[in-house]
Structure formats: structure tokens, C-alpha cells
Amino acid sequence: MNPFSLTGKTALVTGANTGIGQAVAVAMAGAGAHVIAAGRSSSAETVALGAAEELHLDFSDPMAAQDLFGQRQIDILVNNAGIIRRADSVDFSEADWDDVIDVNLKAVFFTCQAFARAALPRGQGKIINIASLLSFQGGIRVPSYTASKHGVAGLTKLLANEWAARGLNVNAIAPGYIETNNTDALRADPDRFRAILERIPANRWGKPDDIAQTAVFLAAPASDYINGAVINVDGGWLAR
């Protein structure tokens, strides 16, 4: 058996219409999985690139996936859907706080919970949460995003503690600075772009495919003894 094959598995990738989520969905399809590309916007482009089907899920309702896992067997869950709001902390609104926490943290927990309720009786399943460098650092002008990503890292470890002995692997990927819609504002600021690039030992911003291949590994049998890990895919940023 190829330890990196996903043949015969079904994967749900949230936020799969663009960026990291789209790259993960396409890579998992390339590894043999039947991929459901989920998001609040159309994932038709992702389906055209290789995913098997699209599904409308809007995680502004954190309970959006509650009934999904009882309807069909899903072996791999990738919690990638997320949003970001930027403002000085002294001006940050309650609405921006709540919107980000609901999508980035509350929805992640309750989607993991719903997945586990279906997968634990089978004794097998893989959960991959998308964390961030801001699971470890503070960032600037993104208080709710930073809080949510610290929470994702903590939840990943807690759920691994509870579920690893019952056959579920729960891990996370912490992307570095990746060329996606979420980093448009940073890349449009020449001074900020240059300062970030100068700190990355790999001397480049990451691409969504850099995250996608790590996700395939964490979904595959090759990673069966990895539990509760938050893997930095950051070009060496945190090592600097």
C-alpha cells in the first residue's frame, strides 16, 4: 500500500473555493480522494480543477455542518474556512470580534465535534485544522484573528488528547505568509511586504501548494502516528 495514497477516502475541505482550501482540495483529489469542496461561495472552479463535488456551507453559522456527517461517510476533515478583520485594537468592534471568532474557532470546534460523533464509532478518521503563525505570535491589528488561531492550536491538542486512542488523528498546519486573498493587504504595502520577505529564510512567500502537500501527508496513512501536532509551513519564519 502506498502510504501517501488517499484512494478510497472521502475528504471534506472547507473554504475550498480559493487559496489554500482550493489547493488542498485539488491535491487531495490528485492523491486519490473523493473531495467535497465546501464554502459559502461557489467552488465550481475547484471542481473543474479536480474536486469531485461542491457543497454550500456558510460557517458564519458555526453549526452549519452539524447534520452533514450522519448523511454519508467522510474520512478526512480539513477545517480551512476562515476570515480576517483588521483594525487598531482600540477601535476594534464587537461585531468584527464575534464574526471572526464564530467562523475561525467556534465553527471549527463544532464541525470537529460533528465529524467525531460519526467517525469515533468507526475508529478511524483524520482532522486537519488550519492554524497560523498567529497561533504562536501576536500579529498587528488583527486581535480576533490572533485569538481565534491561538484557539485552533489549543483545540487541536485537546481533541488529539481525547480522540487519538480511539483512532482519530487531529493535527494542524500553521501556514506562514502565503500568497492568498487574506494577505492581499500586506502584499500591497511595499514596506510591509519587504520587511516580511527579509525575515523568511526561504527568501520567498509561500504558495497554497506548499500547504496542500502537507495536508495530503497529514491525511494519509504515512502520518498515522502524528497526533496533536501544529506543523509550521512557513519557509523558516519561526526559526529566524
Side-chain angles (χ1 to χ4, degrees):
M1 180 178 177
N2 179 351
F4 299 97
S5 173
L6 301 182
T7 299
K9 302 296 184 181
T10 296
L12 173 71
V13 182
T14 72
N17 59 301
T18 188
I20 289 172
Q22 183 176 82
V24 169
V26 172
M28 287 191 172
H34 178 103
V35 177
I36 305 166
R40 64 181 178 183
S41 301
S42 172
S43 297
E45 181 179 84
T46 308
V47 171
L49 291 171
E53 58 181 294
E54 64 175 322
L55 176 68
H56 178 76
L57 282 177
D58 184 354
F59 287 106
S60 61
D61 172 8
M63 313 303 283
Q66 284 302 288
D67 298 326
L68 176 64
F69 303 102
Q71 299 171 5
R72 61 192 299 183
Q73 179 171 324
I74 295 173
D75 307 288
I76 300 158
L77 168 64
V78 182
N79 283 308
N80 168 73
I83 61 173
I84 192 167
R85 302 282 170 81
R86 301 179 189 276
D88 290 342
S89 292
V90 293
D91 300 319
F92 209 82
S93 71
E94 182 179 9
D96 281 347
W97 178 272
D98 289 345
D99 287 350
V100 172
I101 295 296
D102 278 354
V103 175
N104 292 13
L105 185 58
K106 187 174 180 180
V108 168
F109 173 74
F110 284 105
T111 305
C112 286
Q113 181 191 72
F115 175 85
R117 284 173 172 166
L120 284 171
R122 299 194 301 266
Q124 189 174 32
K126 299 279 186 121
I127 297 175
I128 302 160
N129 296 322
I130 301 301
S132 170
L133 292 182
L134 298 190
S135 297
F136 309 100
Q137 299 178 316
I140 300 169
R141 303 183 73 246
V142 287
S144 57
Y145 186 85
T146 299
S148 72
K149 292 303 184 177
H150 270 66
V152 167
L155 277 180
T156 298
K157 297 169 188 176
L158 175 141
L159 297 178
N161 288 342
E162 292 193 21
W163 297 340
R166 301 174 67 185
L168 269 61
N169 295 76
V170 187
N171 294 293
I173 300 170
Y177 287 91
I178 309 296
E179 296 174 354
T180 68
N181 295 339
N182 271 1
T183 60
D184 280 346
L186 296 177
R187 289 182 287 122
D189 181 334
D191 292 336
R192 190 88 171 96
F193 176 84
R194 184 173 58 255
I196 290 169
L197 184 61
E198 287 174 351
R199 179 175 163 163
I200 300 172
N203 196 37
R204 68 173 177 88
W205 281 57
K207 299 184 183 301
D209 282 345
D210 293 318
I211 309 305
Q213 298 306 321
T214 306
V216 170
F217 165 66
L218 288 176
S223 65
D224 280 353
Y225 198 57
I226 299 178
N227 297 279
V230 183
I231 298 176
N232 310 323
V233 184
D234 62 0
W237 173 275
L238 287 179
R240 177 61 60 88

